[in-house]
Amino acid sequence: MRQRLPAHSYTQGILAGDRLVLSRAITLVESRRPDDQAVAQEVLEAVLPHTGRSIRVGITGVPGVGKSTFIEGFGQYLANLGHRLAVLTIDPTSQRSGGSLLGDKTRMETLSMNASAYIRPSPAGDSLGGVAHRTRETILLCEAAGFTIVLVETVGVGQSETVVHGMVDFFLLLMLAGAGDELQGMKRGIMELADALCITKADGDNRSAANRAQVEYRNALHLFPPTGTGWAPPVLTCSAVNQEGLTTIWQTIQEHQQLTTENGHWRRRRQEQQRTWFRSLLRQRLEGQFYAQPGMQQQIDLMEEEVMSGKRLPTPAVDTLLAM
Ligand SMILES: Nc1nc2c(ncn2[C@@H]2O[C@H](COP(=O)(O)OP(=O)(O)OP(=O)(O)O)[C@@H](O)[C@H]2O)c(=O)[nH]1
Ligand SMILES: [Mg+2]
């Protein structure tokens, strides 16, 4: 996998829809080596005119809610409709094991064999909330390779929902029936980000519980402030195992896209996302440069000691460091 191609080979391969080249390009983009990054940027710039035309859907929910099973079912549903879709899963376990390329792929066996689907598990790495640090770029590469729907799966822990919300057009929150106190605390914040809620596993004995949860969440959403986009997030139910509710979810996503395209919010959301991406990169770079200055760490340690012992106030200590 260490073997690298010249930039134009990646570009041509991606634009021709070559999955092997796409995979290698994603690996390149994820690499932290400066020489890889230089080639990666060249490739990204070259494919940029061919990006942006997919529907980007984020899928989140607590561990075990059924994200992978849902994507397996929903992905096949979309493929059967004739769509080409890319699935980007962020594998939090690889944070510990240091990068597994199997990850969730093992749990999407049928979909991974579908010629219309491309599945890419990425290691969560050390970035905020465990979102792969190059997911945005990976979306662009998949779009350039001709995928018209991009599904991004993220585990509903920490900050990852917010980060993924910042890179998709539609944010789907999967929820379990009977997890009563989920309306409290942090979950409420995530619910406010969602463009739709879907109660999973609405089958067998769990069906009536799912219907009750649907009513409860509907009532709860009514108390939320309006989204300001003209869109009222619906609460749906589905069973990935029985392939039920998938049509409604796809219709919902399309209605949302139509409405927000017409009223301008779709474009505005993407523009805001571009700006957020730009600003966070700028901040990261500045921070990186600052800490990388020779002798900086010793100076910081010194200032910290002086601040802790009360010899110096934090403000002049910071001023001193910034003047270095
Ligand atoms: N009855 C039923 N079980 C389901 C359904 N979807 C998922 N499950 C089960 O729920 C469990 C968790 O499903 P996953 O798809 O692995 O859940 P996940 O959200 O991807 O989990 P993490 O990747 O660990 O965050 C598995 O045992 C599935 O078989 C469904 O529609 N109906
Ligand atoms: Mg999963």
Side-chain angles (χ1 to χ4, degrees):
M1 279 307 256
R2 276 247 68 92
Q3 195 192 349
R4 297 294 189 240
L5 307 170
H8 67 88
S9 304
Y10 289 108
T11 306
Q12 279 167 11
I14 291 166
L15 294 180
D18 183 328
R19 282 150 191 262
L20 194 63
V21 176
L22 173 64
S23 293
R24 291 175 67 175
I26 296 172
T27 303
L28 186 79
V29 156
E30 285 175 347
S31 164
R32 290 183 189 272
R33 288 171 37 154
D35 52 340
D36 286 344
Q37 273 307 306
V39 181
Q41 288 311 315
E42 217 180 303
V43 175
L44 283 164
E45 283 195 15
V47 301
L48 192 63
H50 306 274
T51 65
R53 282 186 286 271
S54 79
I55 301 187
R56 305 168 180 170
V57 180
I59 294 163
T60 194
V62 294
V65 71
K67 296 177 294 296
S68 303
T69 314
F70 172 80
I71 291 173
E72 168 103 355
F74 193 52
Q76 284 172 85
Y77 169 81
L78 294 172
N80 287 341
L81 290 181
H83 296 287
R84 298 190 66 219
L85 73 146
V87 177
L88 311 181
T89 68
I90 293 148
D91 183 0
T93 53
S94 61
Q95 211 155 0
R96 269 160 280 142
S97 66
S100 75
L101 277 181
L102 281 176
D104 255 330
K105 209 167 191 168
T106 51
R107 284 195 265 164
M108 294 188 197
E109 274 161 17
T110 321
L111 187 62
S112 63
M113 289 186 315
N114 194 312
S116 302
Y118 172 79
I119 302 179
R120 172 74 183 201
S122 291
D126 52 8
S127 63
L128 181 69
V131 178
H133 72 294
R134 295 294 182 202
T135 305
R136 285 191 178 91
E137 286 91 339
T138 303
I139 292 174
L140 298 179
L141 294 179
C142 290
E143 289 174 344
F147 294 100
T148 50
I149 301 173
V150 179
L151 305 181
V152 185
E153 175 190 356
T154 180
V155 179
V157 286
Q159 294 282 293
S160 63
E161 297 97 339
T162 322
V163 179
V164 170
H165 176 263
M167 48 181 89
V168 295
D169 306 314
F170 191 95
F171 195 58
L172 176 64
L173 174 61
L174 301 182
M175 298 191 94
L176 288 167
D181 49 4
E182 271 191 329
L183 278 181
Q184 315 292 316
M186 190 179 95
K187 283 286 165 263
R188 194 197 144 100
I190 298 159
M191 281 174 68
E192 279 177 334
L193 294 179
D195 296 300
L197 264 59
C198 186
I199 319 290
T200 55
K201 311 185 193 183
D203 47 49
D205 292 345
N206 203 36
R207 199 185 289 264
S208 54
N211 292 338
R212 277 198 304 279
Q214 184 180 28
V215 175
E216 274 168 34
Y217 283 121
R218 258 184 203 150
N219 292 338
L221 280 189
H222 279 311
L223 304 174
F224 283 19
T227 56
T229 61
W231 175 256
V235 182
L236 312 168
T237 63
C238 74
S239 165
V241 166
N242 290 352
Q243 294 272 316
E244 281 167 10
L246 304 181
T247 305
T248 312
I249 293 173
W250 179 230
Q251 276 169 359
T252 302
I253 293 171
Q254 286 175 298
E255 278 166 25
H256 174 268
Q257 200 206 9
Q258 197 183 346
L259 176 89
T260 53
T261 303
E262 280 166 14
N263 70 16
H265 275 284
W266 189 86
R267 218 170 78 97
R268 224 165 300 154
R269 184 159 166 174
R270 286 236 175 146
Q271 283 176 343
E272 286 294 329
Q273 291 173 345
Q274 292 292 103
R275 182 162 66 184
T276 307
W277 181 11
F278 169 74
R279 286 184 178 173
S280 74
L281 259 185
L282 182 61
R283 208 175 307 128
Q284 274 173 29
R285 283 287 182 87
L286 282 174
E287 217 180 278
Q289 275 179 12
F290 175 77
Y291 286 107
Q293 289 175 93
M296 181 52 80
Q297 200 49 58
Q298 291 95 299
Q299 278 303 312
I300 292 174
D301 293 345
L302 190 76
M303 289 298 148
E304 262 177 18
E305 255 170 54
E306 295 195 4
V307 167
M308 285 168 77
S309 65
K311 267 193 232 153
R312 216 188 262 261
L313 283 166
T315 306
V318 168
D319 286 342
T320 308
L321 292 176
L322 284 171
M324 270 180 66

